[in-house]
PDB file of all heavy atoms in Angstrom:
ATOM      1  N   SER A  13     183.986 140.308   8.857  1.00 98.00           N
ATOM      2  CA  SER A  13     183.212 141.524   9.002  1.00 98.00           C
ATOM      3  C   SER A  13     184.026 142.611   8.442  1.00 98.00           C
ATOM      4  O   SER A  13     185.246 142.704   8.669  1.00 98.00           O
ATOM      5  CB  SER A  13     182.856 141.851  10.430  1.00 98.00           C
ATOM      6  OG  SER A  13     182.315 143.123  10.503  1.00 98.00           O
ATOM      7  N   LYS A  15     183.708 145.556   9.422  1.00 96.00           N
ATOM      8  CA  LYS A  15     183.906 146.429  10.556  1.00 96.00           C
ATOM      9  C   LYS A  15     185.263 146.108  11.223  1.00 96.00           C
ATOM     10  O   LYS A  15     185.454 144.944  11.684  1.00 96.00           O
ATOM     11  CB  LYS A  15     182.737 146.279  11.539  1.00 96.00           C
ATOM     12  CG  LYS A  15     182.857 147.133  12.786  1.00 96.00           C
ATOM     13  CD  LYS A  15     182.615 148.571  12.491  1.00 96.00           C
ATOM     14  CE  LYS A  15     182.788 149.418  13.746  1.00 96.00           C
ATOM     15  NZ  LYS A  15     182.835 150.859  13.458  1.00 96.00           N
ATOM     16  N   GLY A  16     186.130 147.058  11.302  1.00 96.00           N
ATOM     17  CA  GLY A  16     187.402 146.821  11.967  1.00 96.00           C
ATOM     18  C   GLY A  16     187.262 146.668  13.451  1.00 96.00           C
ATOM     19  O   GLY A  16     186.350 147.264  14.083  1.00 96.00           O
ATOM     20  N   GLY A  17     188.067 145.833  14.028  1.00 97.00           N
ATOM     21  CA  GLY A  17     188.108 145.683  15.489  1.00 97.00           C
ATOM     22  C   GLY A  17     186.892 144.948  16.074  1.00 97.00           C
ATOM     23  O   GLY A  17     186.608 145.049  17.313  1.00 97.00           O
ATOM     24  N   ALA A  18     186.146 144.225  15.274  1.00 98.00           N
ATOM     25  CA  ALA A  18     184.927 143.539  15.766  1.00 98.00           C
ATOM     26  C   ALA A  18     185.219 142.294  16.593  1.00 98.00           C
ATOM     27  O   ALA A  18     184.371 141.840  17.327  1.00 98.00           O
ATOM     28  CB  ALA A  18     184.033 143.198  14.570  1.00 98.00           C
ATOM     29  N   GLY A  19     186.423 141.773  16.412  1.00 98.00           N
ATOM     30  CA  GLY A  19     186.808 140.535  17.130  1.00 98.00           C
ATOM     31  C   GLY A  19     187.062 139.351  16.232  1.00 98.00           C
ATOM     32  O   GLY A  19     187.066 138.188  16.712  1.00 98.00           O
ATOM     33  N   LYS A  20     187.280 139.615  14.944  1.00 98.00           N
ATOM     34  CA  LYS A  20     187.504 138.510  13.990  1.00 98.00           C
ATOM     35  C   LYS A  20     188.727 137.681  14.413  1.00 98.00           C
ATOM     36  O   LYS A  20     188.658 136.462  14.531  1.00 98.00           O
ATOM     37  CB  LYS A  20     187.764 139.053  12.571  1.00 98.00           C
ATOM     38  CG  LYS A  20     186.553 139.775  11.975  1.00 98.00           C
ATOM     39  CD  LYS A  20     186.914 140.342  10.587  1.00 98.00           C
ATOM     40  CE  LYS A  20     187.735 141.591  10.641  1.00 98.00           C
ATOM     41  NZ  LYS A  20     187.120 142.782  11.291  1.00 98.00           N
ATOM     42  N   THR A  21     189.836 138.356  14.642  1.00 98.00           N
ATOM     43  CA  THR A  21     191.050 137.647  15.009  1.00 98.00           C
ATOM     44  C   THR A  21     190.944 137.007  16.400  1.00 98.00           C
ATOM     45  O   THR A  21     191.296 135.870  16.569  1.00 98.00           O
ATOM     46  CB  THR A  21     192.255 138.659  14.982  1.00 98.00           C
ATOM     47  OG1 THR A  21     192.354 139.176  13.680  1.00 98.00           O
ATOM     48  CG2 THR A  21     193.552 137.928  15.337  1.00 98.00           C
ATOM     49  N   THR A  22     190.379 137.705  17.353  1.00 98.00           N
ATOM     50  CA  THR A  22     190.218 137.208  18.709  1.00 98.00           C
ATOM     51  C   THR A  22     189.426 135.881  18.671  1.00 98.00           C
ATOM     52  O   THR A  22     189.796 134.863  19.280  1.00 98.00           O
ATOM     53  CB  THR A  22     189.520 138.219  19.582  1.00 98.00           C
ATOM     54  OG1 THR A  22     190.303 139.389  19.635  1.00 98.00           O
ATOM     55  CG2 THR A  22     189.302 137.692  20.994  1.00 98.00           C
ATOM     56  N   LEU A  23     188.313 135.868  17.954  1.00 99.00           N
ATOM     57  CA  LEU A  23     187.522 134.651  17.905  1.00 99.00           C
ATOM     58  C   LEU A  23     188.186 133.556  17.059  1.00 99.00           C
ATOM     59  O   LEU A  23     188.096 132.378  17.388  1.00 99.00           O
ATOM     60  CB  LEU A  23     186.062 134.930  17.342  1.00 99.00           C
ATOM     61  CG  LEU A  23     185.217 135.864  18.251  1.00 99.00           C
ATOM     62  CD1 LEU A  23     183.797 135.972  17.704  1.00 99.00           C
ATOM     63  CD2 LEU A  23     185.182 135.386  19.695  1.00 99.00           C
ATOM     64  N   ASP A  45     194.402 138.286   6.365  1.00 97.00           N
ATOM     65  CA  ASP A  45     194.459 139.696   6.597  1.00 97.00           C
ATOM     66  C   ASP A  45     195.926 140.200   6.473  1.00 97.00           C
ATOM     67  O   ASP A  45     196.787 139.685   7.165  1.00 97.00           O
ATOM     68  CB  ASP A  45     193.955 140.016   8.000  1.00 97.00           C
ATOM     69  CG  ASP A  45     193.837 141.525   8.291  1.00 97.00           C
ATOM     70  OD1 ASP A  45     194.356 142.338   7.472  1.00 97.00           O
ATOM     71  OD2 ASP A  45     193.253 141.888   9.321  1.00 97.00           O
ATOM     72  N   GLN A  47     197.266 142.544   7.736  1.00 96.00           N
ATOM     73  CA  GLN A  47     197.759 142.972   9.056  1.00 96.00           C
ATOM     74  C   GLN A  47     198.511 141.816   9.762  1.00 96.00           C
ATOM     75  O   GLN A  47     199.333 142.032  10.633  1.00 96.00           O
ATOM     76  CB  GLN A  47     196.639 143.418   9.964  1.00 96.00           C
ATOM     77  CG  GLN A  47     195.949 144.671   9.481  1.00 96.00           C
ATOM     78  CD  GLN A  47     194.787 145.052  10.383  1.00 96.00           C
ATOM     79  OE1 GLN A  47     194.892 145.899  11.255  1.00 96.00           O
ATOM     80  NE2 GLN A  47     193.608 144.402  10.184  1.00 96.00           N
ATOM     81  N   SER A  49     197.606 139.503  11.932  1.00 98.00           N
ATOM     82  CA  SER A  49     197.410 139.388  13.433  1.00 98.00           C
ATOM     83  C   SER A  49     197.457 137.929  13.880  1.00 98.00           C
ATOM     84  O   SER A  49     198.058 137.660  14.934  1.00 98.00           O
ATOM     85  CB  SER A  49     196.127 140.063  13.846  1.00 98.00           C
ATOM     86  OG  SER A  49     195.994 141.328  13.351  1.00 98.00           O
ATOM     87  N   ASP A  90     190.554 133.745   9.270  1.00 98.00           N
ATOM     88  CA  ASP A  90     190.485 135.098   9.812  1.00 98.00           C
ATOM     89  C   ASP A  90     190.546 136.087   8.643  1.00 98.00           C
ATOM     90  O   ASP A  90     191.534 136.124   7.946  1.00 98.00           O
ATOM     91  CB  ASP A  90     191.665 135.265  10.761  1.00 98.00           C
ATOM     92  CG  ASP A  90     191.711 136.605  11.413  1.00 98.00           C
ATOM     93  OD1 ASP A  90     190.754 137.387  11.305  1.00 98.00           O
ATOM     94  OD2 ASP A  90     192.795 136.951  12.004  1.00 98.00           O
ATOM     95  N   MET A  91     189.459 136.835   8.474  1.00 98.00           N
ATOM     96  CA  MET A  91     189.311 137.665   7.295  1.00 98.00           C
ATOM     97  C   MET A  91     189.761 139.114   7.540  1.00 98.00           C
ATOM     98  O   MET A  91     189.688 139.632   8.677  1.00 98.00           O
ATOM     99  CB  MET A  91     187.891 137.655   6.794  1.00 98.00           C
ATOM    100  CG  MET A  91     187.376 136.295   6.433  1.00 98.00           C
ATOM    101  SD  MET A  91     188.106 135.623   4.985  1.00 98.00           S
ATOM    102  CE  MET A  91     186.883 136.176   3.766  1.00 98.00           C
ATOM    103  N   PRO A  92     190.132 139.818   6.496  1.00 97.00           N
ATOM    104  CA  PRO A  92     190.476 141.262   6.649  1.00 97.00           C
ATOM    105  C   PRO A  92     189.230 142.156   6.695  1.00 97.00           C
ATOM    106  O   PRO A  92     188.166 141.746   6.199  1.00 97.00           O
ATOM    107  CB  PRO A  92     191.265 141.563   5.360  1.00 97.00           C
ATOM    108  CG  PRO A  92     190.725 140.600   4.351  1.00 97.00           C
ATOM    109  CD  PRO A  92     190.263 139.368   5.104  1.00 97.00           C
ATOM    110  N   PRO A  93     189.326 143.357   7.261  1.00 96.00           N
ATOM    111  CA  PRO A  93     188.173 144.276   7.333  1.00 96.00           C
ATOM    112  C   PRO A  93     188.013 145.081   6.085  1.00 96.00           C
ATOM    113  O   PRO A  93     187.951 146.269   6.135  1.00 96.00           O
ATOM    114  CB  PRO A  93     188.524 145.104   8.543  1.00 96.00           C
ATOM    115  CG  PRO A  93     190.031 145.189   8.519  1.00 96.00           C
ATOM    116  CD  PRO A  93     190.547 143.883   7.990  1.00 96.00           C
ATOM    117  N   PRO A 112     181.282 138.522  13.842  1.00 98.00           N
ATOM    118  CA  PRO A 112     181.301 139.103  15.162  1.00 98.00           C
ATOM    119  C   PRO A 112     180.880 140.583  15.126  1.00 98.00           C
ATOM    120  O   PRO A 112     181.231 141.299  14.169  1.00 98.00           O
ATOM    121  CB  PRO A 112     182.770 138.977  15.591  1.00 98.00           C
ATOM    122  CG  PRO A 112     183.555 138.797  14.412  1.00 98.00           C
ATOM    123  CD  PRO A 112     182.608 138.352  13.278  1.00 98.00           C
ATOM    124  N   ASN A 142     180.174 140.060  20.322  1.00 97.00           N
ATOM    125  CA  ASN A 142     181.468 140.018  20.963  1.00 97.00           C
ATOM    126  C   ASN A 142     181.731 141.395  21.676  1.00 97.00           C
ATOM    127  O   ASN A 142     181.227 142.406  21.246  1.00 97.00           O
ATOM    128  CB  ASN A 142     182.575 139.792  19.922  1.00 97.00           C
ATOM    129  CG  ASN A 142     183.940 139.770  20.592  1.00 97.00           C
ATOM    130  OD1 ASN A 142     184.169 139.116  21.612  1.00 97.00           O
ATOM    131  ND2 ASN A 142     184.894 140.547  20.047  1.00 97.00           N
ATOM    132  N   GLY A 143     182.511 141.346  22.717  1.00 97.00           N
ATOM    133  CA  GLY A 143     182.907 142.564  23.413  1.00 97.00           C
ATOM    134  C   GLY A 143     181.770 143.213  24.184  1.00 97.00           C
ATOM    135  O   GLY A 143     181.766 144.411  24.408  1.00 97.00           O
ATOM    136  N   ALA A 144     180.801 142.369  24.587  1.00 96.00           N
ATOM    137  CA  ALA A 144     179.648 142.926  25.318  1.00 96.00           C
ATOM    138  C   ALA A 144     180.112 143.336  26.717  1.00 96.00           C
ATOM    139  O   ALA A 144     181.005 142.735  27.292  1.00 96.00           O
ATOM    140  CB  ALA A 144     178.575 141.859  25.428  1.00 96.00           C
ATOM    141  N   VAL A 169     179.941 136.712  23.845  1.00 97.00           N
ATOM    142  CA  VAL A 169     181.330 136.852  24.342  1.00 97.00           C
ATOM    143  C   VAL A 169     181.519 138.249  24.897  1.00 97.00           C
ATOM    144  O   VAL A 169     181.304 139.243  24.205  1.00 97.00           O
ATOM    145  CB  VAL A 169     182.312 136.610  23.187  1.00 97.00           C
ATOM    146  CG1 VAL A 169     183.776 136.702  23.702  1.00 97.00           C
ATOM    147  CG2 VAL A 169     182.069 135.218  22.569  1.00 97.00           C
ATOM    148  N   HIS A 170     181.847 138.308  26.184  1.00 97.00           N
ATOM    149  CA  HIS A 170     181.958 139.606  26.871  1.00 97.00           C
ATOM    150  C   HIS A 170     183.355 140.201  26.779  1.00 97.00           C
ATOM    151  O   HIS A 170     184.319 139.520  26.445  1.00 97.00           O
ATOM    152  CB  HIS A 170     181.486 139.464  28.329  1.00 97.00           C
ATOM    153  CG  HIS A 170     180.030 139.240  28.474  1.00 97.00           C
ATOM    154  ND1 HIS A 170     179.482 137.977  28.384  1.00 97.00           N
ATOM    155  CD2 HIS A 170     179.023 140.074  28.608  1.00 97.00           C
ATOM    156  CE1 HIS A 170     178.161 138.078  28.521  1.00 97.00           C
ATOM    157  NE2 HIS A 170     177.846 139.323  28.660  1.00 97.00           N
ATOM    158  N   GLU A 171     183.400 141.472  27.027  1.00 97.00           N
ATOM    159  CA  GLU A 171     184.677 142.140  27.053  1.00 97.00           C
ATOM    160  C   GLU A 171     185.422 141.711  28.339  1.00 97.00           C
ATOM    161  O   GLU A 171     184.949 141.995  29.435  1.00 97.00           O
ATOM    162  CB  GLU A 171     184.478 143.660  27.067  1.00 97.00           C
ATOM    163  CG  GLU A 171     185.775 144.445  26.991  1.00 97.00           C
ATOM    164  CD  GLU A 171     185.563 145.936  26.926  1.00 97.00           C
ATOM    165  OE1 GLU A 171     184.413 146.387  27.111  1.00 97.00           O
ATOM    166  OE2 GLU A 171     186.542 146.616  26.598  1.00 97.00           O
ATOM    167  N   ARG A 172     186.540 140.993  28.154  1.00 98.00           N
ATOM    168  CA  ARG A 172     187.264 140.466  29.288  1.00 98.00           C
ATOM    169  C   ARG A 172     188.790 140.615  29.076  1.00 98.00           C
ATOM    170  O   ARG A 172     189.283 140.334  27.997  1.00 98.00           O
ATOM    171  CB  ARG A 172     186.927 138.991  29.527  1.00 98.00           C
ATOM    172  CG  ARG A 172     185.438 138.753  29.758  1.00 98.00           C
ATOM    173  CD  ARG A 172     185.183 137.299  30.081  1.00 98.00           C
ATOM    174  NE  ARG A 172     183.716 137.007  30.145  1.00 98.00           N
ATOM    175  CZ  ARG A 172     182.969 137.273  31.155  1.00 98.00           C
ATOM    176  NH1 ARG A 172     183.415 137.904  32.243  1.00 98.00           N
ATOM    177  NH2 ARG A 172     181.631 136.988  31.093  1.00 98.00           N
ATOM    178  N   ASN A 173     189.473 140.974  30.146  1.00 98.00           N
ATOM    179  CA  ASN A 173     190.927 141.127  30.063  1.00 98.00           C
ATOM    180  C   ASN A 173     191.643 139.869  29.582  1.00 98.00           C
ATOM    181  O   ASN A 173     192.679 139.966  28.956  1.00 98.00           O
ATOM    182  CB  ASN A 173     191.467 141.541  31.448  1.00 98.00           C
ATOM    183  CG  ASN A 173     191.306 143.028  31.640  1.00 98.00           C
ATOM    184  OD1 ASN A 173     191.199 143.813  30.706  1.00 98.00           O
ATOM    185  ND2 ASN A 173     191.260 143.446  32.922  1.00 98.00           N
ATOM    186  N   PHE A 175     191.027 137.925  27.290  1.00 98.00           N
ATOM    187  CA  PHE A 175     191.156 137.889  25.792  1.00 98.00           C
ATOM    188  C   PHE A 175     192.373 138.724  25.377  1.00 98.00           C
ATOM    189  O   PHE A 175     193.014 138.409  24.358  1.00 98.00           O
ATOM    190  CB  PHE A 175     189.865 138.386  25.149  1.00 98.00           C
ATOM    191  CG  PHE A 175     188.757 137.405  25.191  1.00 98.00           C
ATOM    192  CD1 PHE A 175     187.649 137.593  26.014  1.00 98.00           C
ATOM    193  CD2 PHE A 175     188.805 136.262  24.383  1.00 98.00           C
ATOM    194  CE1 PHE A 175     186.611 136.672  26.058  1.00 98.00           C
ATOM    195  CE2 PHE A 175     187.800 135.340  24.417  1.00 98.00           C
ATOM    196  CZ  PHE A 175     186.710 135.529  25.234  1.00 98.00           C
ATOM    197  N   VAL A 176     192.622 139.779  26.074  1.00 98.00           N
ATOM    198  CA  VAL A 176     193.720 140.691  25.658  1.00 98.00           C
ATOM    199  C   VAL A 176     195.085 140.128  26.129  1.00 98.00           C
ATOM    200  O   VAL A 176     196.019 140.036  25.352  1.00 98.00           O
ATOM    201  CB  VAL A 176     193.476 142.074  26.284  1.00 98.00           C
ATOM    202  CG1 VAL A 176     194.602 143.031  25.917  1.00 98.00           C
ATOM    203  CG2 VAL A 176     192.152 142.662  25.798  1.00 98.00           C
ATOM    204  N   VAL A 179     196.453 136.768  24.251  1.00 98.00           N
ATOM    205  CA  VAL A 179     196.967 136.932  22.885  1.00 98.00           C
ATOM    206  C   VAL A 179     198.456 137.273  22.923  1.00 98.00           C
ATOM    207  O   VAL A 179     199.262 136.721  22.168  1.00 98.00           O
ATOM    208  CB  VAL A 179     196.193 138.056  22.138  1.00 98.00           C
ATOM    209  CG1 VAL A 179     196.857 138.367  20.796  1.00 98.00           C
ATOM    210  CG2 VAL A 179     194.772 137.589  21.877  1.00 98.00           C
TER     211      VAL A 179
HETATM  212  N1  ATP B  16     185.842 139.878  23.979  1.00 72.82           N
HETATM  213  C1  ATP B  16     186.885 140.753  24.028  1.00 72.82           C
HETATM  214  N2  ATP B  16     187.269 141.230  25.238  1.00 72.82           N
HETATM  215  C2  ATP B  16     188.304 142.109  25.346  1.00 72.82           C
HETATM  216  N3  ATP B  16     188.980 142.598  24.300  1.00 72.82           N
HETATM  217  C3  ATP B  16     188.614 142.171  23.062  1.00 72.82           C
HETATM  218  C4  ATP B  16     187.545 141.237  22.849  1.00 72.82           C
HETATM  219  N4  ATP B  16     187.456 140.956  21.564  1.00 72.82           N
HETATM  220  C5  ATP B  16     188.397 141.768  20.949  1.00 72.82           C
HETATM  221  N5  ATP B  16     189.091 142.426  21.847  1.00 72.82           N
HETATM  222  C6  ATP B  16     190.154 143.407  21.591  1.00 72.82           C
HETATM  223  O1  ATP B  16     189.687 144.363  20.629  1.00 72.82           O
HETATM  224  C7  ATP B  16     190.672 144.641  19.665  1.00 72.82           C
HETATM  225  C8  ATP B  16     190.152 144.265  18.266  1.00 72.82           C
HETATM  226  O2  ATP B  16     189.986 142.837  18.255  1.00 72.82           O
HETATM  227  P1  ATP B  16     190.431 142.002  17.001  1.00 72.82           P
HETATM  228  O3  ATP B  16     191.800 142.333  16.583  1.00 72.82           O
HETATM  229  O4  ATP B  16     190.131 140.529  17.308  1.00 72.82           O
HETATM  230  O5  ATP B  16     189.372 142.501  15.953  1.00 72.82           O
HETATM  231  P2  ATP B  16     189.383 142.307  14.359  1.00 72.82           P
HETATM  232  O6  ATP B  16     187.987 142.281  13.908  1.00 72.82           O
HETATM  233  O7  ATP B  16     190.229 141.095  13.997  1.00 72.82           O
HETATM  234  O8  ATP B  16     190.112 143.659  13.892  1.00 72.82           O
HETATM  235  P3  ATP B  16     190.622 143.966  12.392  1.00 72.82           P
HETATM  236  O9  ATP B  16     189.387 144.380  11.650  1.00 72.82           O
HETATM  237  O10 ATP B  16     191.610 145.119  12.557  1.00 72.82           O
HETATM  238  O11 ATP B  16     191.229 142.720  11.851  1.00 72.82           O
HETATM  239  C9  ATP B  16     191.971 143.889  20.099  1.00 72.82           C
HETATM  240  O12 ATP B  16     192.728 144.769  20.862  1.00 72.82           O
HETATM  241  C10 ATP B  16     191.382 142.762  20.894  1.00 72.82           C
HETATM  242  O13 ATP B  16     192.306 142.320  21.896  1.00 72.82           O
END
Side-chain angles (χ1 to χ4, degrees):
S13 171
K15 177 72 182 168
K20 296 178 285 296
T21 301
T22 300
L23 295 186
D45 185 349
Q47 295 177 99
S49 308
D90 180 12
M91 299 291 267
N142 178 50
V169 180
H170 289 86
E171 184 176 12
R172 300 185 188 281
N173 279 336
F175 284 108
V176 179
V179 171

